[in-house]
Amino acid sequence: MAEAILRSNGLIVGYSGTPVISGIDISAESGKILTLIGPNGAGKSTILKTLIKQLPPVSGAVYLDGQELNALKPRDIALKVSAVLTGRPNPELMTCGDVVATGRYPYTGRLGILSEHDREVVAESMALVQVTELRDRDFNRISDGQRQRVLLARAICQEPRVLIMDEPTSFLDIRHKLDFLYLLRRLVLERQLAIVLSLHELELAQRFSDTVLCVRNGKVDRMGPPEEIFRGNYIAELYGVEHGSYNAELGCVETAAVPGEPRVFVIGGGGSGIPAYRLLQRRGIPFAAGVLPENDADLPIAEALASEVITGKAFEPVSAEAAEKALALAARCEKVVCAAESFGTMTAENRRILDWAKEKGVLLPAEELNAL
């Protein structure tokens, strides 16, 4: 079992003695990433601020290496814990290199004079986060995403055992989000850091976390490995999703289906129908889809967005009965779109729908779907 560096016991957090969240018994372990998720305003930031002594606990205690946090001096905490929170620092006349170097202050003493070793750690931290080229740039004259990476370099420069971050990927583009989280995983594996962070990007929380803590309605609603948290309809329930859905298997959100009688029937399969489904939904056109086997890549998206879906059994050829149902449904629609490029042995019956649409003159080429 991994070593618990930072843990809480019977923790209740809040402001001015007023509880916001109770029942917080968590453990930040060496070599593990603990991620907090939950609706806006649920109190994730409040938990993180309490874990670094920025807020006093309403009740309960936080322990760092077995010592109660409230009994430790700020420098003792800074030698083991670093944080990147959502507030944007606004240092005057400081370069990015200067900002990163502040991470060494717990080691420099009152005069803040960097040793040669300190300078080496600063350079190494900036290189690790790929911000070396920003060393001499004014911190207030770089982008939000660049600032976030510089602040991570400062936190790493502190050489902590625990790294706490509040929504660290919020200002990053997709490349830098992935680079950022890849770097965190390297730090966890190579330096055995314990990382506690909050994320809004559920697909990232699902893929990069060792443990996920869910906050809702003033309490820790659920905690466990992502394989347990991202299952079934729980995430939609956690966030109170009403107009749309969250697919736990694919890690993606879909908006709600357009209500009404379907106007277009889509023949898809193997992922080919997904662009058509989403285009029709964006255009506000209700549609139907089929015949899709229960294990088909199209099916989760079709079920989320289509008015009606005709399905078949997994690993079996589409049956004549299912094809007849699909034909009857297609006959109620104004147009038929065939997104599938070909029909294999398993989906051969779907060709009947295509042939029928050609015969009736209702087939709309997929490339003309934009014209609807």
Side-chain angles (χ1 to χ4, degrees):
M1 185 175 178
E3 177 189 1
I5 305 172
L6 186 71
R7 64 182 178 86
S8 66
N9 182 28
L11 186 63
I12 300 175
V13 302
Y15 296 89
S16 302
T18 302
V20 173
I21 307 166
S22 59
I24 309 168
D25 294 306
I26 63 176
S27 174
E29 301 177 350
S30 298
K32 297 288 183 68
I33 296 176
L34 169 64
T35 303
L36 279 58
I37 65 172
N40 287 336
K44 301 183 293 297
S45 297
T46 307
I47 294 175
L48 296 179
K49 289 176 181 178
T50 306
L51 292 178
I52 61 172
K53 203 179 175 181
Q54 196 174 103
L55 288 174
V58 174
S59 182
V62 178
Y63 297 90
L64 178 61
D65 271 341
Q67 294 182 280
E68 190 168 350
L69 202 64
N70 282 340
L72 296 175
K73 296 178 180 179
R75 181 179 180 276
D76 296 329
I77 298 173
L79 289 171
K80 295 181 180 180
V81 181
S82 63
V84 180
L85 301 183
T86 51
R88 302 184 188 182
N90 190 31
E92 292 291 335
L93 303 176
M94 288 183 70
T95 67
C96 294
D98 294 333
V99 171
V100 175
T102 62
R104 298 304 298 169
Y105 285 177
Y107 301 90
T108 60
R110 293 182 179 180
L111 296 179
I113 299 174
L114 299 182
S115 67
E116 186 60 34
H117 172 69
D118 291 325
R119 293 190 184 92
E120 290 174 359
V121 174
V122 170
E124 177 186 314
S125 301
M126 296 189 77
L128 194 61
V129 187
Q130 299 178 346
V131 291
T132 301
E133 71 281 4
L134 300 176
R135 171 186 285 273
D136 298 320
R137 294 273 301 275
D138 186 332
F139 182 77
N140 287 325
R141 293 181 178 272
I142 60 175
S143 71
D144 286 336
Q146 290 172 321
R147 287 189 188 192
Q148 197 74 347
R149 290 159 58 204
V150 169
L151 293 175
L152 175 61
R154 182 185 69 175
I156 294 171
C157 187
Q158 203 169 317
E159 296 186 302
R161 297 185 63 204
V162 182
L163 178 56
I164 293 181
M165 293 174 289
D166 195 6
E167 301 176 27
T169 57
S170 294
F171 299 112
L172 303 181
D173 60 35
I174 184 61
R175 173 201 160 184
H176 287 109
K177 282 182 195 289
L178 294 174
D179 286 350
F180 191 94
L181 290 165
Y182 171 75
L183 173 58
L184 294 187
R185 181 52 66 184
R186 277 185 58 196
L187 292 171
V188 160
L189 295 176
E190 295 174 9
R191 301 191 182 187
Q192 287 297 293
L193 281 186
I195 294 180
V196 184
L197 73 161
S198 65
L199 285 176
H200 278 308
E201 299 93 333
L202 295 177
E203 73 281 5
L204 299 181
Q206 183 174 5
R207 288 161 175 75
F208 285 90
S209 308
D210 295 295
T211 304
V212 178
L213 182 146
C214 309
V215 185
R216 176 173 65 160
N217 296 333
K219 63 184 178 67
V220 174
D221 194 67
R222 188 177 293 189
M223 183 167 64
E227 293 76 21
E228 293 180 4
I229 300 299
F230 292 89
R231 179 186 295 174
N233 198 45
Y234 174 69
I235 294 297
E237 294 173 3
L238 175 67
Y239 284 88
V241 174
E242 296 179 358
H243 305 290
S245 61
Y246 179 81
N247 187 295
E249 287 73 28
L250 299 179
C252 66
V253 294
E254 299 293 344
T255 52
V258 179
E261 184 71 10
R263 292 172 47 198
V264 177
F265 187 94
V266 181
I267 307 168
S272 64
I274 294 175
Y277 305 154
R278 289 182 171 149
L279 175 58
L280 289 165
Q281 197 279 337
R282 292 198 304 272
R283 294 292 173 84
I285 300 172
F287 68 92
V291 176
L292 297 173
E294 292 169 343
N295 62 329
D296 195 276
D298 273 11
L299 187 59
I301 312 303
E303 289 182 328
L305 300 180
S307 300
E308 297 183 48
V309 183
I310 304 299
T311 62
K313 292 183 179 180
F315 308 110
E316 292 185 13
V318 170
S319 67
E321 180 183 2
E324 287 295 331
K325 288 182 180 179
L327 277 169
L329 181 53
R332 291 162 41 198
C333 299
E334 301 166 13
K335 295 289 183 181
V336 171
V337 171
C338 183
E341 295 182 359
S342 61
F343 300 96
T345 304
M346 306 298 278
T347 58
E349 285 287 334
N350 280 347
R351 185 182 295 277
R352 290 173 53 195
I353 310 167
L354 174 61
D355 292 341
W356 173 87
K358 288 179 179 177
E359 180 185 338
K360 295 296 182 180
V362 296
L363 181 67
L364 179 71
E367 59 270 19
E368 295 181 18
L369 197 55
N370 269 310
L372 284 178

